[in-house]
Amino acid sequence: MNIVPIGDIQFTGMQGASDIDRLAKHIKWALEQNAIFVGMGDFSDFLSPSNKLRLRQAGLYDTAEEVIDNAAITIEKELMEVLRPTIGRWMGFIEGHHTYTSLDGTTTGQRFARFLQAPYLGDSAILRITFREAAPSHESVSLKMFVHHGHGGATTYGGILNRLERFAARFPDVQLIMTGHHHQVIVQPMDSLDVTSKGEPYLFHKTRMLVCTGSFMKGWMQGHKIGGRPQGLYPEQKMMPPTALGAPLIIASPKVLRSHGHKIPVVDLRGSV
């Protein structure tokens, strides 16, 4: 099974900083691989957490709130059309930081989940995929995935992986841990050892994956202007590292190992970008 996480598009319109051409090509390629998708949050970039706080404190008239609501929903609908070919192929949607709660009470993540016919997963989820052989064996093996939008201000690969590695220790049976947020593509295998629980002990290993799922928002843009004057986006203003555009592909291969009389179901994981 091919799994493609997508998040941090941070769409503000077709002329904004999101690399929509790259996103559309990536989706087309993923569909050719018969992939399933996972929504990692921050699909639109209408309001940051601090902007949302200021907006709530502004005490706007109802008419002003309606104008803002219409603008936010219009932006989301433009991106939905880009994602339309993937309807029905999503395992679910995680909420991000740059989410907008509309006047009807729904969030950005809920609206994308509804349009793409996928479960809305809230802030995090453990997803389980069960591979099962047909008769007569009916043998099965499961892949457990933890998905979260991500958190924290780390900007180096080491800082990002340190947080993921420490967190992975709390979920020893989860083989795939995926977060977004950092706008970097990182696929780091991490093996663990175990022994069989019956008969003569037999040592075996399981491969786990720590994955940071990238972004489709351009961080540094040559000649970028706001209001007609040269001005960079916030990654440039804050001296943040260049964005890793794109998303990884996770390949899950179910196997039943047979050695020393033991049958050991495992899911071999491979990651590519």
Side-chain angles (χ1 to χ4, degrees):
M1 176 173 285
N2 296 323
I3 303 166
V4 174
I6 291 181
D8 294 284
I9 302 170
Q10 299 194 219
F11 185 73
T12 58
M14 298 303 290
Q15 304 304 316
S18 302
D19 194 338
I20 296 303
D21 288 342
R22 184 187 298 265
L23 174 63
K25 290 176 182 177
H26 190 74
I27 286 172
K28 182 177 182 296
W29 173 82
L31 290 173
E32 291 170 353
Q33 314 309 311
N34 198 31
I36 57 174
F37 301 88
V38 182
M40 301 301 298
D42 281 3
F43 273 40
S44 67
D45 193 15
F46 188 72
L47 291 171
S48 69
S50 59
N51 287 162
K52 283 184 285 189
L53 177 61
R54 294 187 183 100
L55 186 62
R56 285 196 298 269
Q57 295 172 339
L60 300 175
Y61 287 155
D62 291 345
T63 51
E65 289 188 344
E66 287 182 339
V67 171
I68 292 171
D69 195 75
N70 289 334
I73 300 302
T74 297
I75 288 171
E76 292 177 2
K77 287 182 177 179
E78 286 185 54
L79 181 56
M80 287 176 184
E81 289 306 309
V82 178
L83 300 174
R84 182 178 289 278
T86 65
I87 287 177
R89 300 194 62 85
W90 294 78
M91 294 184 66
F93 279 81
I94 293 294
E95 199 70 75
H97 293 129
H98 296 263
T99 183
Y100 173 72
T101 301
S102 69
L103 296 179
D104 67 6
T106 60
T107 66
T108 299
Q110 287 176 302
R111 291 187 291 276
F112 275 97
R114 182 173 56 200
F115 176 78
L116 295 169
Q117 301 175 15
Y120 173 68
L121 304 176
D123 293 316
S124 68
I126 295 179
L127 306 174
R128 187 184 66 195
I129 301 173
T130 299
F131 301 90
R132 193 181 308 278
E133 278 193 341
S137 69
H138 294 296
E139 289 183 300
S140 65
V141 56
S142 293
L143 166 66
K144 297 176 184 177
M145 310 161 46
F146 176 83
V147 292
H148 191 287
H149 174 67
H151 188 70
T155 57
T156 64
Y157 294 129
I160 296 169
L161 282 174
N162 282 341
R163 186 182 185 92
L164 287 180
E165 186 175 356
R166 288 195 300 269
F167 186 80
R170 304 297 181 181
F171 290 85
D173 294 327
V174 172
Q175 296 145 286
L176 177 57
I177 294 177
M178 297 196 299
T179 65
H181 178 63
H182 296 286
H183 291 211
Q184 298 297 334
V185 178
I186 304 173
V187 180
Q188 177 61 48
M190 183 176 70
D191 276 19
S192 60
L193 296 173
D194 202 351
V195 294
T196 52
S197 57
K198 296 180 181 179
E200 185 71 18
Y202 174 66
L203 184 70
F204 66 99
H205 77 91
K206 291 183 178 179
T207 298
R208 307 171 71 197
M209 282 285 185
L210 307 179
V211 179
C212 200
T213 57
S215 170
F216 287 90
M217 176 192 173
K218 303 171 186 175
W220 294 64
M221 298 175 66
Q222 182 174 344
H224 186 264
K225 296 181 180 180
I226 294 180
R229 67 178 184 276
Q231 182 175 326
L233 298 167
Y234 72 83
E236 180 181 347
Q237 294 175 23
K238 298 181 181 298
M239 290 183 66
M240 299 174 73
T243 303
L245 295 179
L249 168 71
I250 306 300
I251 304 169
S253 302
K255 296 181 180 179
V256 177
L257 303 179
R258 291 173 172 83
S259 184
H260 295 69
H262 296 290
K263 293 196 299 184
I264 307 165
V266 298
V267 179
D268 281 357
L269 293 175
R270 290 178 288 156
S272 60
V273 295

